[in-house]
Amino acid sequence: MGMTGHDVRVLQDFLTRAGFPTGIDGDFGSGTRQNVLAFQRSVHVQPNGVVSFAVAHALRMAVAGHARSTAATAPAGKAVLNSDGTATAPANAPAAVQNVIAAANKIAFTPYVFGGGHGSFTSSGYDCSGSVSYALHGGGLLSSPEDSSQLESFGSPGNGQWITIWANAGHVYMQVAGLFYDTAAQSSSNSHDRWSTTRPSPTSGYVVRHPAGL
């Protein structure tokens, strides 16, 4: 607890890839500790929140095993929409993309709340920009929430290889490794899930952006 820096970011990345979504901010705070404890319990290690050499080794093995298991269900470059409404990232996706998907999964079914997620990433519900901001933050791509107008100037112009964002003054949504993440998909017929294999919102009237390098 209390450590900061690159090693903590690596730990947070590995926790997320092992199935324990963790914000990648380089700060070993209470959220990171809780996920370390959860991982330790999952591998039957005394839960003390300390990442010893043995715990680090077990975490690396868990990540390797997770990558092998997801490779069979997620084609290269394409995320898979699971039966439970969450998404599985392709095994060959960059860590940032895998972490965006992991973060998006955490709030995929939370209620739509106008203005939700604007004041803080922690919210009981999220609107369109709050949802996109939360997911991008989980991937280490955004430090604070942005509204849809601000996201019109996010990153670089045009379509991305892994992530593409459509934004205008009234709405924002994105496509991540082939799946759409859009609050417009949250209908009763879609079990209130933000993930969708088909495009819920139009493309005309939007500024198209992507995270630099992705």
Side-chain angles (χ1 to χ4, degrees):
M1 283 284 288
M3 288 184 64
T4 59
H6 174 73
D7 287 349
V8 177
R9 291 179 66 87
V10 172
L11 167 64
Q12 292 166 332
D13 177 29
F14 271 60
L15 283 169
T16 298
R17 288 201 257 170
F20 301 84
T22 309
I24 302 177
D25 57 8
D27 183 1
F28 198 130
S30 59
T32 299
R33 183 176 186 274
Q34 288 175 3
N35 282 350
V36 169
L37 291 168
F39 172 74
Q40 289 175 319
R41 294 187 188 100
S42 73
V43 293
H44 309 292
V45 172
Q46 180 65 33
N48 59 9
V50 177
V51 184
S52 64
F53 177 85
V55 170
H57 177 74
L59 183 56
R60 287 194 296 270
M61 294 301 99
V63 169
H66 183 73
R68 286 192 296 270
S69 66
T70 57
T73 57
K78 297 293 184 181
V80 170
L81 184 59
N82 303 314
S83 59
D84 65 356
T86 62
T88 294
N92 68 325
V97 175
Q98 295 195 30
N99 292 335
V100 165
I101 291 175
N105 283 337
K106 291 182 70 174
I107 63 165
F109 292 92
T110 56
Y112 177 93
V113 175
F114 182 75
H118 285 206
S120 168
F121 286 117
T122 302
S123 178
S124 60
Y126 299 82
D127 65 8
C128 60
S129 56
S131 302
V132 170
S133 291
Y134 185 96
L136 293 174
H137 175 67
L141 302 173
L142 195 66
S143 59
S144 59
E146 294 188 359
D147 61 30
S148 59
S149 295
Q150 291 172 307
L151 287 167
E152 288 184 82
S153 58
F154 170 82
S156 301
N159 294 320
Q161 177 184 358
W162 291 98
I163 300 174
T164 301
I165 298 166
W166 288 265
N168 61 27
H171 187 54
V172 62
Y173 67 99
M174 65 180 177
Q175 187 178 32
V176 186
L179 291 182
F180 292 97
Y181 195 70
D182 188 347
T183 53
Q186 289 190 278
S187 64
S188 57
S189 61
N190 197 41
S191 302
H192 306 290
D193 187 5
R194 286 168 170 78
W195 287 114
S196 177
T197 56
T198 57
R199 184 187 300 273
S201 298
T203 57
S204 61
Y206 287 82
V207 174
V208 183
R209 310 289 295 186
H210 70 275
L214 298 173

PDB file of all heavy atoms in Angstrom, residues 51-86:
ATOM      1  N   VAL A  51       2.382  -8.240  -2.518  1.00  0.00           N
ATOM      2  CA  VAL A  51       2.760  -8.947  -3.740  1.00  0.00           C
ATOM      3  C   VAL A  51       4.196  -9.446  -3.589  1.00  0.00           C
ATOM      4  O   VAL A  51       5.157  -8.769  -3.942  1.00  0.00           O
ATOM      5  CB  VAL A  51       2.614  -8.054  -4.977  1.00  0.00           C
ATOM      6  CG1 VAL A  51       2.930  -8.839  -6.256  1.00  0.00           C
ATOM      7  CG2 VAL A  51       1.201  -7.489  -5.054  1.00  0.00           C
ATOM      8  N   SER A  52       4.318 -10.639  -3.046  1.00  0.00           N
ATOM      9  CA  SER A  52       5.632 -11.266  -2.907  1.00  0.00           C
ATOM     10  C   SER A  52       6.061 -11.846  -4.256  1.00  0.00           C
ATOM     11  O   SER A  52       5.307 -11.829  -5.230  1.00  0.00           O
ATOM     12  CB  SER A  52       5.553 -12.399  -1.880  1.00  0.00           C
ATOM     13  OG  SER A  52       4.674 -13.411  -2.352  1.00  0.00           O
ATOM     14  N   PHE A  53       7.279 -12.387  -4.307  1.00  0.00           N
ATOM     15  CA  PHE A  53       7.752 -13.033  -5.534  1.00  0.00           C
ATOM     16  C   PHE A  53       6.812 -14.170  -5.934  1.00  0.00           C
ATOM     17  O   PHE A  53       6.471 -14.333  -7.096  1.00  0.00           O
ATOM     18  CB  PHE A  53       9.176 -13.571  -5.339  1.00  0.00           C
ATOM     19  CG  PHE A  53       9.702 -14.308  -6.540  1.00  0.00           C
ATOM     20  CD1 PHE A  53      10.298 -13.627  -7.591  1.00  0.00           C
ATOM     21  CD2 PHE A  53       9.590 -15.694  -6.616  1.00  0.00           C
ATOM     22  CE1 PHE A  53      10.760 -14.310  -8.705  1.00  0.00           C
ATOM     23  CE2 PHE A  53      10.060 -16.387  -7.732  1.00  0.00           C
ATOM     24  CZ  PHE A  53      10.639 -15.696  -8.775  1.00  0.00           C
ATOM     25  N   ALA A  54       6.390 -14.960  -4.941  1.00  0.00           N
ATOM     26  CA  ALA A  54       5.505 -16.098  -5.224  1.00  0.00           C
ATOM     27  C   ALA A  54       4.163 -15.624  -5.779  1.00  0.00           C
ATOM     28  O   ALA A  54       3.615 -16.232  -6.708  1.00  0.00           O
ATOM     29  CB  ALA A  54       5.300 -16.921  -3.957  1.00  0.00           C
ATOM     30  N   VAL A  55       3.630 -14.552  -5.229  1.00  0.00           N
ATOM     31  CA  VAL A  55       2.353 -14.016  -5.714  1.00  0.00           C
ATOM     32  C   VAL A  55       2.524 -13.471  -7.127  1.00  0.00           C
ATOM     33  O   VAL A  55       1.674 -13.688  -8.005  1.00  0.00           O
ATOM     34  CB  VAL A  55       1.821 -12.928  -4.759  1.00  0.00           C
ATOM     35  CG1 VAL A  55       0.621 -12.206  -5.375  1.00  0.00           C
ATOM     36  CG2 VAL A  55       1.441 -13.539  -3.418  1.00  0.00           C
ATOM     37  N   ALA A  56       3.635 -12.759  -7.373  1.00  0.00           N
ATOM     38  CA  ALA A  56       3.887 -12.220  -8.708  1.00  0.00           C
ATOM     39  C   ALA A  56       4.000 -13.342  -9.732  1.00  0.00           C
ATOM     40  O   ALA A  56       3.480 -13.245 -10.854  1.00  0.00           O
ATOM     41  CB  ALA A  56       5.157 -11.371  -8.704  1.00  0.00           C
ATOM     42  N   HIS A  57       4.672 -14.432  -9.345  1.00  0.00           N
ATOM     43  CA  HIS A  57       4.816 -15.574 -10.253  1.00  0.00           C
ATOM     44  C   HIS A  57       3.449 -16.195 -10.541  1.00  0.00           C
ATOM     45  O   HIS A  57       3.131 -16.519 -11.696  1.00  0.00           O
ATOM     46  CB  HIS A  57       5.747 -16.617  -9.635  1.00  0.00           C
ATOM     47  CG  HIS A  57       5.904 -17.856 -10.466  1.00  0.00           C
ATOM     48  ND1 HIS A  57       6.647 -17.880 -11.631  1.00  0.00           N
ATOM     49  CD2 HIS A  57       5.388 -19.113 -10.310  1.00  0.00           C
ATOM     50  CE1 HIS A  57       6.585 -19.088 -12.153  1.00  0.00           C
ATOM     51  NE2 HIS A  57       5.848 -19.859 -11.378  1.00  0.00           N
ATOM     52  N   ALA A  58       2.631 -16.369  -9.505  1.00  0.00           N
ATOM     53  CA  ALA A  58       1.299 -16.941  -9.682  1.00  0.00           C
ATOM     54  C   ALA A  58       0.447 -16.051 -10.582  1.00  0.00           C
ATOM     55  O   ALA A  58      -0.337 -16.541 -11.405  1.00  0.00           O
ATOM     56  CB  ALA A  58       0.622 -17.127  -8.328  1.00  0.00           C
ATOM     57  N   LEU A  59       0.616 -14.734 -10.447  1.00  0.00           N
ATOM     58  CA  LEU A  59      -0.143 -13.798 -11.273  1.00  0.00           C
ATOM     59  C   LEU A  59       0.277 -13.909 -12.737  1.00  0.00           C
ATOM     60  O   LEU A  59      -0.568 -13.912 -13.639  1.00  0.00           O
ATOM     61  CB  LEU A  59       0.066 -12.377 -10.755  1.00  0.00           C
ATOM     62  CG  LEU A  59      -0.716 -11.255 -11.455  1.00  0.00           C
ATOM     63  CD1 LEU A  59      -2.209 -11.531 -11.435  1.00  0.00           C
ATOM     64  CD2 LEU A  59      -0.414  -9.918 -10.781  1.00  0.00           C
ATOM     65  N   ARG A  60       1.583 -14.021 -12.984  1.00  0.00           N
ATOM     66  CA  ARG A  60       2.055 -14.194 -14.366  1.00  0.00           C
ATOM     67  C   ARG A  60       1.498 -15.485 -14.969  1.00  0.00           C
ATOM     68  O   ARG A  60       1.095 -15.518 -16.137  1.00  0.00           O
ATOM     69  CB  ARG A  60       3.583 -14.210 -14.411  1.00  0.00           C
ATOM     70  CG  ARG A  60       4.219 -12.846 -14.197  1.00  0.00           C
ATOM     71  CD  ARG A  60       5.693 -12.853 -14.593  1.00  0.00           C
ATOM     72  NE  ARG A  60       6.489 -13.755 -13.750  1.00  0.00           N
ATOM     73  CZ  ARG A  60       7.079 -13.384 -12.627  1.00  0.00           C
ATOM     74  NH1 ARG A  60       6.968 -12.128 -12.211  1.00  0.00           N
ATOM     75  NH2 ARG A  60       7.783 -14.242 -11.916  1.00  0.00           N
ATOM     76  N   MET A  61       1.475 -16.550 -14.204  1.00  0.00           N
ATOM     77  CA  MET A  61       0.940 -17.820 -14.697  1.00  0.00           C
ATOM     78  C   MET A  61      -0.566 -17.711 -14.979  1.00  0.00           C
ATOM     79  O   MET A  61      -1.061 -18.272 -15.958  1.00  0.00           O
ATOM     80  CB  MET A  61       1.194 -18.939 -13.675  1.00  0.00           C
ATOM     81  CG  MET A  61       2.662 -19.291 -13.462  1.00  0.00           C
ATOM     82  SD  MET A  61       3.511 -19.837 -14.974  1.00  0.00           S
ATOM     83  CE  MET A  61       4.365 -18.295 -15.454  1.00  0.00           C
ATOM     84  N   ALA A  62      -1.268 -16.986 -14.122  1.00  0.00           N
ATOM     85  CA  ALA A  62      -2.707 -16.807 -14.316  1.00  0.00           C
ATOM     86  C   ALA A  62      -2.988 -16.016 -15.583  1.00  0.00           C
ATOM     87  O   ALA A  62      -3.915 -16.332 -16.338  1.00  0.00           O
ATOM     88  CB  ALA A  62      -3.315 -16.101 -13.105  1.00  0.00           C
ATOM     89  N   VAL A  63      -2.187 -14.987 -15.839  1.00  0.00           N
ATOM     90  CA  VAL A  63      -2.364 -14.189 -17.052  1.00  0.00           C
ATOM     91  C   VAL A  63      -2.088 -15.039 -18.284  1.00  0.00           C
ATOM     92  O   VAL A  63      -2.822 -14.980 -19.277  1.00  0.00           O
ATOM     93  CB  VAL A  63      -1.444 -12.956 -17.025  1.00  0.00           C
ATOM     94  CG1 VAL A  63      -1.406 -12.271 -18.388  1.00  0.00           C
ATOM     95  CG2 VAL A  63      -1.918 -11.972 -15.963  1.00  0.00           C
ATOM     96  N   ALA A  64      -1.031 -15.843 -18.236  1.00  0.00           N
ATOM     97  CA  ALA A  64      -0.712 -16.712 -19.366  1.00  0.00           C
ATOM     98  C   ALA A  64      -1.839 -17.701 -19.633  1.00  0.00           C
ATOM     99  O   ALA A  64      -2.229 -17.937 -20.782  1.00  0.00           O
ATOM    100  CB  ALA A  64       0.594 -17.454 -19.102  1.00  0.00           C
ATOM    101  N   GLY A  65      -2.394 -18.279 -18.572  1.00  0.00           N
ATOM    102  CA  GLY A  65      -3.492 -19.213 -18.722  1.00  0.00           C
ATOM    103  C   GLY A  65      -4.746 -18.550 -19.258  1.00  0.00           C
ATOM    104  O   GLY A  65      -5.462 -19.101 -20.086  1.00  0.00           O
ATOM    105  N   HIS A  66      -5.010 -17.318 -18.787  1.00  0.00           N
ATOM    106  CA  HIS A  66      -6.182 -16.571 -19.256  1.00  0.00           C
ATOM    107  C   HIS A  66      -6.045 -16.255 -20.738  1.00  0.00           C
ATOM    108  O   HIS A  66      -7.013 -16.354 -21.498  1.00  0.00           O
ATOM    109  CB  HIS A  66      -6.333 -15.286 -18.447  1.00  0.00           C
ATOM    110  CG  HIS A  66      -7.558 -14.488 -18.802  1.00  0.00           C
ATOM    111  ND1 HIS A  66      -8.824 -14.877 -18.445  1.00  0.00           N
ATOM    112  CD2 HIS A  66      -7.702 -13.322 -19.494  1.00  0.00           C
ATOM    113  CE1 HIS A  66      -9.699 -13.992 -18.884  1.00  0.00           C
ATOM    114  NE2 HIS A  66      -9.046 -13.048 -19.535  1.00  0.00           N
ATOM    115  N   ALA A  67      -4.849 -15.884 -21.163  1.00  0.00           N
ATOM    116  CA  ALA A  67      -4.623 -15.566 -22.570  1.00  0.00           C
ATOM    117  C   ALA A  67      -4.865 -16.793 -23.443  1.00  0.00           C
ATOM    118  O   ALA A  67      -5.451 -16.699 -24.522  1.00  0.00           O
ATOM    119  CB  ALA A  67      -3.210 -15.043 -22.771  1.00  0.00           C
ATOM    120  N   ARG A  68      -4.422 -17.966 -22.961  1.00  0.00           N
ATOM    121  CA  ARG A  68      -4.629 -19.183 -23.746  1.00  0.00           C
ATOM    122  C   ARG A  68      -6.104 -19.523 -23.841  1.00  0.00           C
ATOM    123  O   ARG A  68      -6.599 -19.954 -24.889  1.00  0.00           O
ATOM    124  CB  ARG A  68      -3.861 -20.351 -23.125  1.00  0.00           C
ATOM    125  CG  ARG A  68      -2.357 -20.292 -23.330  1.00  0.00           C
ATOM    126  CD  ARG A  68      -1.709 -21.614 -22.960  1.00  0.00           C
ATOM    127  NE  ARG A  68      -1.861 -21.934 -21.549  1.00  0.00           N
ATOM    128  CZ  ARG A  68      -1.008 -21.573 -20.609  1.00  0.00           C
ATOM    129  NH1 ARG A  68       0.062 -20.859 -20.927  1.00  0.00           N
ATOM    130  NH2 ARG A  68      -1.208 -21.902 -19.353  1.00  0.00           N
ATOM    131  N   SER A  69      -6.844 -19.343 -22.748  1.00  0.00           N
ATOM    132  CA  SER A  69      -8.258 -19.714 -22.754  1.00  0.00           C
ATOM    133  C   SER A  69      -9.088 -18.783 -23.607  1.00  0.00           C
ATOM    134  O   SER A  69     -10.060 -19.198 -24.235  1.00  0.00           O
ATOM    135  CB  SER A  69      -8.810 -19.738 -21.322  1.00  0.00           C
ATOM    136  OG  SER A  69      -8.809 -18.444 -20.764  1.00  0.00           O
ATOM    137  N   THR A  70      -8.746 -17.480 -23.631  1.00  0.00           N
ATOM    138  CA  THR A  70      -9.521 -16.531 -24.430  1.00  0.00           C
ATOM    139  C   THR A  70      -9.152 -16.602 -25.895  1.00  0.00           C
ATOM    140  O   THR A  70      -9.955 -16.242 -26.756  1.00  0.00           O
ATOM    141  CB  THR A  70      -9.317 -15.091 -23.927  1.00  0.00           C
ATOM    142  OG1 THR A  70      -7.921 -14.769 -23.947  1.00  0.00           O
ATOM    143  CG2 THR A  70      -9.859 -14.928 -22.521  1.00  0.00           C
ATOM    144  N   ALA A  71      -7.936 -17.062 -26.211  1.00  0.00           N
ATOM    145  CA  ALA A  71      -7.516 -17.120 -27.608  1.00  0.00           C
ATOM    146  C   ALA A  71      -8.428 -18.021 -28.420  1.00  0.00           C
ATOM    147  O   ALA A  71      -8.657 -17.786 -29.604  1.00  0.00           O
ATOM    148  CB  ALA A  71      -6.081 -17.614 -27.698  1.00  0.00           C
ATOM    149  N   ALA A  72      -8.975 -19.068 -27.774  1.00  0.00           N
ATOM    150  CA  ALA A  72      -9.813 -20.011 -28.499  1.00  0.00           C
ATOM    151  C   ALA A  72     -11.177 -19.434 -28.832  1.00  0.00           C
ATOM    152  O   ALA A  72     -11.828 -19.861 -29.778  1.00  0.00           O
ATOM    153  CB  ALA A  72      -9.988 -21.285 -27.676  1.00  0.00           C
ATOM    154  N   THR A  73     -11.645 -18.449 -28.063  1.00  0.00           N
ATOM    155  CA  THR A  73     -12.975 -17.904 -28.277  1.00  0.00           C
ATOM    156  C   THR A  73     -12.968 -16.521 -28.890  1.00  0.00           C
ATOM    157  O   THR A  73     -13.989 -16.067 -29.381  1.00  0.00           O
ATOM    158  CB  THR A  73     -13.734 -17.838 -26.936  1.00  0.00           C
ATOM    159  OG1 THR A  73     -12.981 -17.049 -26.009  1.00  0.00           O
ATOM    160  CG2 THR A  73     -13.927 -19.222 -26.356  1.00  0.00           C
ATOM    161  N   ALA A  74     -11.852 -15.829 -28.871  1.00  0.00           N
ATOM    162  CA  ALA A  74     -11.772 -14.482 -29.431  1.00  0.00           C
ATOM    163  C   ALA A  74     -10.797 -14.477 -30.596  1.00  0.00           C
ATOM    164  O   ALA A  74      -9.600 -14.615 -30.400  1.00  0.00           O
ATOM    165  CB  ALA A  74     -11.325 -13.481 -28.356  1.00  0.00           C
ATOM    166  N   PRO A  75     -11.292 -14.346 -31.831  1.00  0.00           N
ATOM    167  CA  PRO A  75     -10.392 -14.331 -32.984  1.00  0.00           C
ATOM    168  C   PRO A  75      -9.420 -13.155 -32.909  1.00  0.00           C
ATOM    169  O   PRO A  75      -9.700 -12.149 -32.254  1.00  0.00           O
ATOM    170  CB  PRO A  75     -11.352 -14.169 -34.176  1.00  0.00           C
ATOM    171  CG  PRO A  75     -12.707 -14.498 -33.649  1.00  0.00           C
ATOM    172  CD  PRO A  75     -12.684 -14.178 -32.193  1.00  0.00           C
ATOM    173  N   ALA A  76      -8.301 -13.269 -33.603  1.00  0.00           N
ATOM    174  CA  ALA A  76      -7.310 -12.200 -33.603  1.00  0.00           C
ATOM    175  C   ALA A  76      -7.946 -10.903 -34.065  1.00  0.00           C
ATOM    176  O   ALA A  76      -8.560 -10.845 -35.129  1.00  0.00           O
ATOM    177  CB  ALA A  76      -6.147 -12.574 -34.518  1.00  0.00           C
ATOM    178  N   GLY A  77      -7.809  -9.881 -33.228  1.00  0.00           N
ATOM    179  CA  GLY A  77      -8.309  -8.560 -33.588  1.00  0.00           C
ATOM    180  C   GLY A  77      -9.781  -8.342 -33.354  1.00  0.00           C
ATOM    181  O   GLY A  77     -10.278  -7.235 -33.547  1.00  0.00           O
ATOM    182  N   LYS A  78     -10.535  -9.369 -32.945  1.00  0.00           N
ATOM    183  CA  LYS A  78     -11.979  -9.242 -32.784  1.00  0.00           C
ATOM    184  C   LYS A  78     -12.408  -9.656 -31.387  1.00  0.00           C
ATOM    185  O   LYS A  78     -12.133 -10.772 -30.949  1.00  0.00           O
ATOM    186  CB  LYS A  78     -12.720 -10.108 -33.811  1.00  0.00           C
ATOM    187  CG  LYS A  78     -12.482  -9.711 -35.257  1.00  0.00           C
ATOM    188  CD  LYS A  78     -13.077  -8.348 -35.560  1.00  0.00           C
ATOM    189  CE  LYS A  78     -12.913  -7.993 -37.036  1.00  0.00           C
ATOM    190  NZ  LYS A  78     -13.465  -6.641 -37.324  1.00  0.00           N
ATOM    191  N   ALA A  79     -13.088  -8.756 -30.687  1.00  0.00           N
ATOM    192  CA  ALA A  79     -13.655  -9.091 -29.382  1.00  0.00           C
ATOM    193  C   ALA A  79     -14.906  -9.941 -29.583  1.00  0.00           C
ATOM    194  O   ALA A  79     -15.548  -9.905 -30.637  1.00  0.00           O
ATOM    195  CB  ALA A  79     -14.000  -7.819 -28.612  1.00  0.00           C
ATOM    196  N   VAL A  80     -15.263 -10.696 -28.560  1.00  0.00           N
ATOM    197  CA  VAL A  80     -16.434 -11.572 -28.608  1.00  0.00           C
ATOM    198  C   VAL A  80     -17.448 -11.115 -27.562  1.00  0.00           C
ATOM    199  O   VAL A  80     -17.082 -10.836 -26.408  1.00  0.00           O
ATOM    200  CB  VAL A  80     -16.024 -13.041 -28.336  1.00  0.00           C
ATOM    201  CG1 VAL A  80     -17.258 -13.918 -28.147  1.00  0.00           C
ATOM    202  CG2 VAL A  80     -15.171 -13.575 -29.479  1.00  0.00           C
ATOM    203  N   LEU A  81     -18.713 -11.008 -27.976  1.00  0.00           N
ATOM    204  CA  LEU A  81     -19.784 -10.692 -27.035  1.00  0.00           C
ATOM    205  C   LEU A  81     -20.244 -11.996 -26.396  1.00  0.00           C
ATOM    206  O   LEU A  81     -20.779 -12.880 -27.060  1.00  0.00           O
ATOM    207  CB  LEU A  81     -20.950 -10.022 -27.759  1.00  0.00           C
ATOM    208  CG  LEU A  81     -22.114  -9.554 -26.884  1.00  0.00           C
ATOM    209  CD1 LEU A  81     -21.645  -8.551 -25.834  1.00  0.00           C
ATOM    210  CD2 LEU A  81     -23.214  -8.948 -27.748  1.00  0.00           C
ATOM    211  N   ASN A  82     -20.014 -12.129 -25.094  1.00  0.00           N
ATOM    212  CA  ASN A  82     -20.322 -13.360 -24.378  1.00  0.00           C
ATOM    213  C   ASN A  82     -21.814 -13.483 -24.084  1.00  0.00           C
ATOM    214  O   ASN A  82     -22.562 -12.501 -24.148  1.00  0.00           O
ATOM    215  CB  ASN A  82     -19.530 -13.408 -23.068  1.00  0.00           C
ATOM    216  CG  ASN A  82     -18.041 -13.289 -23.301  1.00  0.00           C
ATOM    217  OD1 ASN A  82     -17.482 -13.944 -24.176  1.00  0.00           O
ATOM    218  ND2 ASN A  82     -17.383 -12.437 -22.514  1.00  0.00           N
ATOM    219  N   SER A  83     -22.226 -14.670 -23.719  1.00  0.00           N
ATOM    220  CA  SER A  83     -23.647 -14.916 -23.447  1.00  0.00           C
ATOM    221  C   SER A  83     -24.148 -14.125 -22.248  1.00  0.00           C
ATOM    222  O   SER A  83     -25.340 -13.853 -22.137  1.00  0.00           O
ATOM    223  CB  SER A  83     -23.891 -16.411 -23.223  1.00  0.00           C
ATOM    224  OG  SER A  83     -23.120 -16.892 -22.124  1.00  0.00           O
ATOM    225  N   ASP A  84     -23.236 -13.743 -21.338  1.00  0.00           N
ATOM    226  CA  ASP A  84     -23.652 -12.966 -20.165  1.00  0.00           C
ATOM    227  C   ASP A  84     -23.655 -11.467 -20.436  1.00  0.00           C
ATOM    228  O   ASP A  84     -23.890 -10.670 -19.529  1.00  0.00           O
ATOM    229  CB  ASP A  84     -22.775 -13.295 -18.957  1.00  0.00           C
ATOM    230  CG  ASP A  84     -21.319 -12.878 -19.149  1.00  0.00           C
ATOM    231  OD1 ASP A  84     -20.962 -12.398 -20.258  1.00  0.00           O
ATOM    232  OD2 ASP A  84     -20.526 -13.034 -18.201  1.00  0.00           O
ATOM    233  N   GLY A  85     -23.381 -11.057 -21.682  1.00  0.00           N
ATOM    234  CA  GLY A  85     -23.414  -9.645 -22.026  1.00  0.00           C
ATOM    235  C   GLY A  85     -22.097  -8.915 -21.875  1.00  0.00           C
ATOM    236  O   GLY A  85     -22.001  -7.749 -22.235  1.00  0.00           O
ATOM    237  N   THR A  86     -21.088  -9.576 -21.324  1.00  0.00           N
ATOM    238  CA  THR A  86     -19.762  -8.967 -21.249  1.00  0.00           C
ATOM    239  C   THR A  86     -19.004  -9.267 -22.534  1.00  0.00           C
ATOM    240  O   THR A  86     -19.442 -10.063 -23.364  1.00  0.00           O
ATOM    241  CB  THR A  86     -18.961  -9.497 -20.053  1.00  0.00           C
ATOM    242  OG1 THR A  86     -18.767 -10.917 -20.218  1.00  0.00           O
ATOM    243  CG2 THR A  86     -19.705  -9.223 -18.737  1.00  0.00           C
TER     244      THR A  86
END
